[in-house]
């Protein structure tokens, strides 16, 4: 019975997503850095580490932790909230503090059960955000702040930048996190995220860009998740700037709208497989 409910859900979802929305152009700010594919792959590795067992992350002994691009990382703290099942970790490498958020451990069930309810965004009450994403972020906010403080203390003056990342649900949490992190510290913060769902409405997307334009939101081939919640439901809207890969190696930096109709929004047909294979790298903890 559950199998057929899942099939029914995806049929209805595809019907909703097939309704293409044409909106007026937006005037948003691009990031002050250029997209680098190698940097994106490194941050995808950090995102995938977040799916590993928290004990293995704490010791930096997971298989993904041993990838050459992240093996020199110094883990400072792991974070977990049992009520919301939210996991993250914080540490540093070189001059960078890294904050990484885990996505859902059961992607298909998470998509099937995803609700679209919104709440008023406390930092900017004219905006609305996804209630579940915000609850998850709120449940670990204090732990994240304390962990960054501890990392900056341990790293010392060499750390002069904070970078936030996440994949899937983790990308949504990274978005909400960096919106606040950029106001907590005087050092700059940036974000690479992967396969993010829409986090809030148009007002939120515009507000977010006004306070934190230094964001790369990577989308990949026919990944389903960037299409939920649907744009035509409750005025959901992606933050810019999107970089869309239509193959493992070819990509386009999209316009400043957050909803460039020649990028991920142009896809017909949607794939969970693509969501789990960014750049051909199998998610999640390997």
């Amino acid at each position: 019975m559950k199998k057929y409910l899942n099939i029914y859900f995806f049929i209805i979802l595809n019907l909703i997503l097939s309704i293409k929305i044409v909106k007026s152009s937006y005037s948003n700010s691009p990031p002050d850095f250029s997209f680098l594919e190698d940097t994106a792959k490194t941050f995808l590795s950090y995102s995938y580490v977040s799916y590993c067992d928290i004990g293995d992350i704490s010791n930096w002994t997971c298989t993904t932790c041993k990838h050459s691009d992240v093996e020199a990382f110094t883990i400072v703290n792991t974070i977990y909230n049992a009520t919301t099942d939210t996991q993250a970790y914080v540490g540093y490498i070189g001059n960078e503090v890294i904050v990484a958020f885990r996505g859902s451990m059961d992607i298909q069930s998470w998509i099937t059960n995803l609700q679209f309810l919104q709440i008023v965004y406390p930092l900017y009450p004219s905006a609305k955000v996804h209630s579940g994403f915000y609850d998850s972020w709120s449940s670990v906010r204090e732990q994240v702040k304390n962990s960054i403080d501890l990392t900056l203390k341990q790293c010392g003056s060499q750390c002069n930048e904070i970078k936030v990342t996440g994949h899937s649900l983790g990308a949504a949490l990274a978005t909400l996190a960096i919106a606040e992190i950029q106001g907590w510290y005087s050092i700059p913060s940036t974000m690479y995220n992967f396969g993010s769902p829409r986090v809030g409405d148009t007002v939120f997307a515009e507000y977010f860009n006004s306070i934190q334009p230094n964001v790369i939101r990577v989308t990949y081939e026919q990944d389903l998740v960037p299409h939920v919640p649907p744009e035509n439901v409750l005025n959901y809207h992606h933050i810019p700037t999107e970089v869309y890969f239509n193959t493992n190696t070819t990509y386009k930096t999209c316009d400043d709208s957050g909803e460039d109709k020649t990028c991920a929004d142009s896809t017909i047909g949607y794939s969970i497989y693509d969501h789990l294979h960014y750049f051909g790298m199998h998610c999640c903890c390997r």
Side-chain angles (χ1 to χ4, degrees):
M1 182 65 176
K2 182 178 179 181
K3 174 183 177 182
Y4 293 109
L5 286 174
N6 285 345
I7 293 172
Y8 177 74
F9 169 83
F10 283 109
I11 291 172
I12 296 300
L13 182 60
N14 271 279
L15 288 172
I16 294 173
L17 294 175
S18 69
I19 303 172
K20 299 297 183 181
I21 307 299
V22 178
K23 294 188 176 184
S24 59
S25 61
Y26 295 87
S27 180
N28 291 313
S29 300
D32 64 11
F33 60 92
S34 298
F35 173 78
L36 297 174
E37 186 174 349
D38 285 346
T39 300
K41 289 179 178 178
T42 295
F43 279 91
L44 183 62
S45 292
Y46 282 123
S47 295
Y48 282 180
V49 166
S50 69
Y51 287 93
C52 294
D53 178 82
I54 199 164
D56 292 340
I57 299 173
S58 296
N59 297 317
W60 210 247
T61 55
C62 61
T63 302
T64 311
C65 303
K66 300 307 178 184
H67 286 188
S68 59
D69 52 353
V70 301
E71 64 180 346
F73 179 77
T74 298
I75 183 73
V76 174
N77 206 18
T78 54
I79 296 160
Y80 183 69
N81 182 283
T83 301
T84 60
D85 192 28
T86 301
Q87 182 166 300
Y89 67 89
V90 182
Y92 65 93
I93 184 169
N95 69 324
E96 299 172 347
V97 175
I98 307 296
V99 184
F101 292 87
R102 190 187 71 185
S104 171
M105 294 299 287
D106 185 344
I107 298 292
Q108 183 162 333
S109 292
W110 174 69
I111 295 171
T112 302
N113 296 319
L114 180 65
Q115 299 182 17
F116 306 149
L117 299 178
Q118 295 177 335
I119 61 168
V120 171
Y121 184 52
L123 272 66
Y124 193 72
S126 297
K128 293 182 179 179
V129 295
H130 187 281
S131 60
F133 300 161
Y134 190 78
D135 286 346
S136 293
W137 159 238
S138 297
S139 74
V140 295
R141 177 193 288 109
E142 185 175 349
Q143 293 181 71
V144 170
K145 175 68 164 62
N146 291 341
S147 297
I148 296 174
D149 290 345
L150 181 61
T151 302
L152 288 170
K153 182 178 180 180
Q154 184 171 322
C155 181
S157 59
Q158 77 179 51
C159 283
N160 57 16
E161 187 171 4
I162 300 171
K163 293 192 173 181
V164 185
T165 192
H167 167 262
S168 194
L169 169 61
L173 302 182
T175 299
L176 292 167
I178 200 169
E180 299 190 34
I181 289 170
Q182 60 82 32
W184 292 346
Y185 305 99
S186 59
I187 60 176
S189 56
T190 60
M191 177 173 73
Y192 274 81
N193 74 26
F194 307 89
S196 179
R198 295 182 176 96
V199 176
D201 64 6
T202 303
V203 178
F204 172 77
E206 292 178 329
Y207 168 72
F208 179 93
N209 179 256
S210 73
I211 62 169
Q212 179 49 279
N214 291 320
V215 166
I216 296 291
R217 181 175 58 81
V218 181
T219 57
Y220 180 73
E221 297 196 22
Q222 293 180 300
D223 179 5
L224 167 65
V225 173
H227 301 280
V228 296
E231 189 183 1
N232 57 338
V233 174
L234 299 177
N235 206 28
Y236 273 101
H237 196 96
H238 269 304
I239 61 168
T241 294
E242 177 186 4
V243 173
Y244 172 57
F245 279 75
N246 62 354
T247 72
N248 283 345
T249 57
T250 58
Y251 65 87
K252 172 184 179 180
T253 299
C254 308
D255 68 24
D256 66 355
S257 69
E259 298 286 354
D260 188 332
K261 302 308 176 188
T262 67
C263 289
D265 279 355
S266 70
T267 58
I268 299 174
Y270 304 103
S271 167
I272 292 178
Y273 180 90
D274 286 348
H275 184 63
L276 300 176
H277 291 83
Y278 270 58
F279 311 131
M281 295 168 59
H282 195 297
C283 182
C284 297
C285 181
R286 296 284 165 176

